[in-house]
Amino acid sequence: MKCSNIVTQMQMLLLSTYFLFSPERRTANMAASGGRTVGSFLWKCGNCCFNFNTVSSNLTRQVLSRQLCVSAVLHRKNLAAAGPEKFSEEFIKKQVEEFNIGKRHLANMMGEDPETFTQGDINRSIAYLFPSGLFDKKAKPLMKHPDEVFPKQRAVQWGADGRPFHFLFYTGKQSYYSLMHDTFTKALAVEKHQDRLRGKDLFTQDAKQISLVGSRWLLKEELEELLVETISEHDYARFIQLMERLLSLPYCSVEEDFVQRYRRQLEIQSSKQQVQPLQYDQHGVAYSTGDGRRKTAMGTVLLRDSGSGSISINGTNYVHYFPVLQDREQLMFPLHFMEVLGRFDMQCSVSGGGHSSQAGALRLAISRAMLSFLSEGQVETMRQAGLLTPDPRIKERKKPGQEGARRKFTWKKR
Amino acid sequence: MIRVLLVRWSRYNPYYLEPEPRKEVYHIPETELTPEQKEERELKSVRPIKAATNSVTSSVFNDPVLSKFVNMMMKDGDKIIAKGIITQTLENMKRKQVEKYHKAPEVKKAEIECNPYVIFHQALENCKPVIGLASIQKGGKFYQVPIPLTDNRRRFLAMKWMITECRDNKHRRTLMYEKLSQELLAAFSKEGNVVKRKHELHKMAESNRAYAHYRWW
C-alpha cells in the first residue's frame, strides 16, 4: 500500500526538461566569447532563454499515457507566432497546482520543510532522485514552475461575435503599436506641460533630468517577451528612437516611471570580483595567495604582510630572474598603484611562456592576492586601471592556404 | 589544449572600455569633478574594463608617446634592443646638453634645456607636419591634393621621418643612438633634415593649393 503510494507520488512529479544558459562564466571566456554584438553579450550575461522541450507526465496513471505533442511548438522562441493558444488558462492553472502539490510531496520525501523549499532545493532533490548520466542538459529530468516551462500565450483576442477587443488588432502587432501610441501620447503631454509652464513664465532649461547612467534600454528579446509579440529589428529601432525623442524634452522627468519601465539596471562590475578572506599564519602575519595566467604562462604568488619588500621568483631574486626593466615594472605596477611598495613580501612561482607573459601572469596574480588587503573602493580603482582583467590575447592560429596567421604565400604571377 | 580563436577582430568584446593606469586620476576628490567626469566614472563602474598592456605602468616614467616611438623603432619584435637604443639616446642628449650648459656663459645658462624628455617632445612637435598630401585620381590623372591630417597621423609621420632619417642618412660608423640624439637636438632647435622635410611637404601643399577642391571629405 505504502509502496504504491510512493510510486504514485513519484509519478505526480512534473518531469519537465528545459535548457537554461549557464550562469556567469569566467571573465576570460566572457571577453573572448563568440557573441560579437553587445546585445548578444548582454543576453548571455543574465537572461534565460525559452528554448526547451517538454515531456510532462500528469497526475493519474490514465493521464500518464497522454503525451503532449508539443515539441515542435516549444522549440520555437516565437511566442505569439505559435498561433492560437495551445494551453488554456485552466490547463496552466491546473499545472501550477500540480507543481505546488508535487513540490510539497518532494519536500516531504527529502525530509525537508515544505514551506521553505526553494527552486534550488528542488533541483538538488531531482538530481539526487533521478541521477542522469546524460551529457545533454535538455535530456536531464528537471522540475520547474509552469510559468517558466510553458510559453506565455495571449488569451483569445476576440469575443464570441468574432469582433476583436483591441482597436489595433488588425495591424497584426497590436501591443507594439499601442505601445508606440502611448509613448507618443506621453511625449505630447510633456510638450503641453512645457507650453503651460512657458505661458506662466516658469519654464527653465535646467529642469531635473532622468538619470540614465547605470541602466540600459530593454533588448529586443526582452521587449518581445514583455509584449508577448514578435517585432522586427526595424520596429525595435523605431521604438528606441521614439523613447530617445521623449527623453530629449527638457521636462521628461514627468514621465520618469513610464521610461524606467523600459530600462534595466546594469549591475555594478566591481561586485563580481571574488575576494578571498585574509589568512594568518602561526606568527600572526597576514598572508594571501593569488594566481594568474597570460598567454601560456601560469604564475602563483604568496603575499605576506611582513614589511620587507623582498621578491623571490622560483627561488631566485627578481632582479636576476627578470633582467629586463619592463618586466620588473610590471611586477611593481599593482604595488606602486596602491602605494604599498615596501610593505609586502612575495614568493612567486611561474612556469611556461616567455619573459613578458610570465611578468604579465605574475602581475595578475599579485593584483588578485592584494585584493584581500584592500577596501571596496580600492578594488574598484584597481579594476578600472585594468589590473584585474585577465588578458585574453593569445597567439592567432595559422590558416590553411596562408603561410602564417596573416602572412600569405608569395604571390607568383605564373 | 585546443583554443578557439576569433580571427581578424579584437579579442575583446566592444563592450569593454579602455583602462586608466595613472594614479592621479583616482585621487581627485568627488567635489572637483566636472559632470562629464562624474558620468564617465559611473559608466566605468558598470562596464567591464580591458586589461592593461605590458608596456603600461602607473610609474612617472611611463610616457605613451615614448612607448609608441620605441614600438616603431622595434625590429622583429625585439623590444629590449629598441628600448636600449632609446635609453642611450636620452642619456646621450642629456650629456651633450649638460656639457653645453657648463660651457655656456651665465646669461645663456637659463635657456639651455637639459631634460631629455622635454627635448624629445619638443623635437617631435617641431617635426609634425600641419598639412598633408593625398593622391587623388581625377580625369585619368593623379593629383597631389593637400588634406588636413589627424593628430595621430601627424605624430606617426613625425616619428616615421625621424626613424628613417636616422637609419638611412648616416655615416657607416655612427651608431643609431648617436645619430638619433644629433637629429633630436637639431629638431629641437628647428634645424636638421627632418624639419627640412616637413617644410618641403608644406611647400608642396602650398604649391598644389589649386587642387584643394578635389578633396570631397
Side-chain angles (χ1 to χ4, degrees), chain A residues 31 35-36 41 213 269 326 330 333 336-337 339 356 363 383-384 386 389 392-397, chain B residues 3 5-6 10-13 15 20 23 27 42 44-47 49 51-54 56 58 79:
Chain A
R36 296 324 292 156
F41 175 80
V213 189
Q269 291 289 332
Q326 187 182 287
Q330 287 298 294
F333 184 7
H336 174 74
F337 187 77
E339 288 154 15
S356 232
R363 185 186 89 184
R383 186 189 73 88
Q384 287 192 12
T389 329
R393 301 178 291 172
I394 37 179
K395 190 162 168 167
E396 199 172 318
R397 71 161 277 205
Chain B
R3 271 185 252 255
L5 299 184
L6 291 165
S10 162
R11 290 285 301 164
Y12 290 105
N13 191 289
Y15 201 51
E20 177 58 73
K23 275 203 285 190
H27 288 320
E42 290 201 35
K44 279 210 159 180
S45 69
V46 284
R47 296 266 211 123
I49 311 261
T53 21
N54 260 12
V56 147
S58 59
K79 194 167 244 168

Side-chain angles (χ1 to χ4, degrees), chain A residues 255-282:
Chain A
E255 302 296 342
E256 185 166 347
D257 303 320
F258 177 74
V259 170
Q260 292 291 1
R261 236 188 290 157
Y262 297 99
R263 286 192 81 94
R264 290 279 174 272
Q265 284 298 114
L266 290 165
E267 43 177 294
I268 307 283
Q269 291 289 332
S270 56
S271 54
K272 287 193 204 162
Q273 296 294 340
Q274 295 154 334
V275 180
Q276 312 292 341
L278 210 51
Q279 291 156 304
Y280 293 89
D281 70 357
Q282 61 216 63

Side-chain angles (χ1 to χ4, degrees), chain A residues 71-298:
Chain A
S71 43
V73 170
L74 295 170
H75 272 311
R76 266 181 292 164
K77 270 195 274 189
N78 284 346
L79 309 168
E85 47 179 271
K86 296 282 198 287
F87 316 109
S88 55
E89 270 208 47
E90 307 92 52
F91 173 77
I92 300 278
K93 260 194 238 163
K94 213 166 61 166
Q95 294 292 323
V96 173
E97 282 166 21
E98 284 172 22
F99 172 78
N100 287 326
I101 296 171
K103 198 169 91 163
R104 296 186 74 91
H105 279 291
L106 184 61
N108 276 330
M109 262 192 270
M110 299 300 291
E112 306 209 14
D113 183 16
E115 305 297 329
T116 57
F117 205 54
T118 59
Q119 186 57 46
D121 295 329
I122 298 178
N123 295 343
R124 263 192 310 107
S125 324
I126 296 288
Y128 170 71
L129 291 168
F130 302 96
S132 161
L134 303 171
F135 292 113
D136 194 357
K137 293 254 171 50
K138 290 187 209 183
K140 293 184 188 168
L142 215 39
M143 185 168 154
K144 277 258 165 182
H145 191 89
D147 279 344
E148 293 168 34
V149 167
F150 297 102
K152 272 203 287 192
Q153 303 231 319
R154 285 198 289 189
V156 172
Q157 305 290 323
W158 50 88
D161 55 349
R163 194 158 169 269
F165 298 130
H166 201 283
F167 74 103
L168 287 172
F169 174 79
Y170 288 111
T171 59
K173 301 181 243 183
Q174 64 179 52
S175 343
Y176 168 71
Y177 282 113
S178 73
L179 171 64
M180 296 291 271
H181 271 289
D182 289 335
T183 320
F184 192 64
T185 323
K186 299 253 188 289
L188 289 175
V190 170
E191 278 177 6
K192 207 165 155 190
H193 174 71
Q194 277 172 206
D195 289 335
R196 256 185 281 129
L197 286 178
R198 271 202 199 99
K200 293 187 213 164
D201 255 339
L202 292 168
F203 181 83
T204 44
Q205 273 300 332
D206 43 296
K208 185 173 146 300
Q209 294 293 316
I210 307 178
S211 147
L212 295 173
V213 189
S215 61
R216 58 165 173 89
W217 286 118
L218 274 182
L219 295 174
K220 181 166 162 287
E221 288 85 1
E222 289 170 341
L223 189 62
E224 280 183 350
E225 179 198 337
L226 195 71
L227 298 175
V228 196
E229 199 171 69
T230 37
I231 48 177
S232 75
E233 295 250 351
H234 183 70
D235 294 335
Y236 176 70
R238 295 290 278 182
F239 169 67
I240 297 294
Q241 220 176 11
L242 189 57
M243 293 300 260
E244 291 290 336
R245 188 162 152 201
L246 174 61
L247 286 178
S248 69
L249 303 166
Y251 276 85
C252 55
S253 47
V254 181
E255 302 296 342
E256 185 166 347
D257 303 320
F258 177 74
V259 170
Q260 292 291 1
R261 236 188 290 157
Y262 297 99
R263 286 192 81 94
R264 290 279 174 272
Q265 284 298 114
L266 290 165
E267 43 177 294
I268 307 283
Q269 291 289 332
S270 56
S271 54
K272 287 193 204 162
Q273 296 294 340
Q274 295 154 334
V275 180
Q276 312 292 341
L278 210 51
Q279 291 156 304
Y280 293 89
D281 70 357
Q282 61 216 63
H283 300 292
V285 176
Y287 74 91
S288 72
T289 51
D291 44 58
R293 271 196 275 194
R294 168 96 216 271
K295 261 191 196 173
T296 343
M298 305 211 290

Side-chain angles (χ1 to χ4, degrees), chain B:
Chain B
M1 177 160 70
I2 300 168
R3 271 185 252 255
V4 178
L5 299 184
L6 291 165
V7 174
R8 287 183 202 294
W9 296 309
S10 162
R11 290 285 301 164
Y12 290 105
N13 191 289
Y15 201 51
Y16 278 63
L17 298 173
E18 296 295 325
E20 177 58 73
R22 293 172 300 163
K23 275 203 285 190
E24 316 80 58
V25 177
Y26 300 106
H27 288 320
I28 310 171
E30 278 289 322
T31 44
E32 286 173 38
L33 294 173
T34 59
E36 288 91 30
Q37 280 176 322
K38 282 204 183 96
E39 260 198 60
E40 216 183 288
R41 274 215 187 166
E42 290 201 35
L43 181 70
K44 279 210 159 180
S45 69
V46 284
R47 296 266 211 123
I49 311 261
K50 297 186 192 177
T53 21
N54 260 12
S55 44
V56 147
T57 49
S58 59
S59 133
V60 290
F61 302 110
N62 181 48
D63 188 4
V65 178
L66 203 62
S67 310
K68 239 334 170 240
F69 196 73
V70 169
N71 288 342
M72 285 186 69
M73 182 90 83
M74 180 165 62
K75 273 190 186 173
D76 297 329
D78 209 341
K79 194 167 244 168
I80 305 172
I81 295 181
K83 184 85 182 136
I85 294 173
I86 298 292
T87 328
Q88 285 172 318
T89 314
L90 295 171
E91 191 195 326
N92 205 322
M93 282 204 296
K94 176 104 190 192
R95 276 185 197 278
K96 286 188 188 161
Q97 288 296 93
V98 169
E99 206 181 310
K100 228 166 93 175
Y101 181 85
H102 287 307
K103 282 190 188 154
E106 284 299 326
V107 194
K108 297 275 180 68
K109 277 199 180 178
E111 293 161 3
I112 298 175
E113 179 59 58
C114 281
N115 189 349
Y117 293 97
V118 170
I119 299 175
F120 175 78
H121 284 273
Q122 189 55 48
L124 220 57
E125 270 297 322
N126 295 347
C127 295
K128 282 187 188 174
V130 171
I131 198 165
L133 289 173
S135 189
I136 294 182
Q137 187 186 23
K138 190 127 174 151
K141 268 172 51 173
F142 286 88
Y143 298 97
Q144 292 295 318
V145 175
I147 52 160
L149 297 172
T150 57
D151 260 335
N152 280 345
R153 179 77 186 152
R154 293 169 62 208
R155 196 183 56 197
F156 169 78
L157 281 174
M159 290 199 226
K160 184 91 183 171
W161 289 342
M162 184 68 76
I163 293 169
T164 36
E165 164 70 40
C166 295
R167 279 181 186 161
D168 303 336
N169 301 1
K170 61 180 167 90
H171 183 66
R172 187 178 64 87
R173 291 292 293 265
T174 35
L175 295 175
M176 183 68 178
Y177 74 87
E178 179 62 48
K179 175 72 183 169
L180 190 54
S181 57
Q182 282 169 8
E183 275 304 324
L184 282 171
L185 284 167
F188 180 67
S189 36
K190 298 201 179 139
E191 305 147 353
N193 286 346
V194 194
V195 272
K196 201 171 86 173
R197 187 167 169 179
K198 173 186 92 156
H199 289 319
E200 274 168 19
L201 180 67
H202 284 175
K203 274 186 220 153
M204 273 285 283
E206 184 59 40
S207 68
N208 281 8
R209 209 180 147 134
Y211 303 127
H213 65 285
Y214 283 173
R215 178 175 65 102
W216 62 83
W217 65 87

Side-chain angles (χ1 to χ4, degrees), chain A residues 376-408:
Chain A
E376 280 270 346
Q378 287 173 315
V379 166
E380 176 62 21
T381 40
M382 277 197 52
R383 186 189 73 88
Q384 287 192 12
L387 283 167
L388 298 175
T389 329
D391 207 325
R393 301 178 291 172
I394 37 179
K395 190 162 168 167
E396 199 172 318
R397 71 161 277 205
K398 177 196 171 318
K399 286 104 202 171
Q402 292 176 8
E403 175 135 8
R406 300 279 170 123
R407 166 149 171 84
K408 322 283 183 283

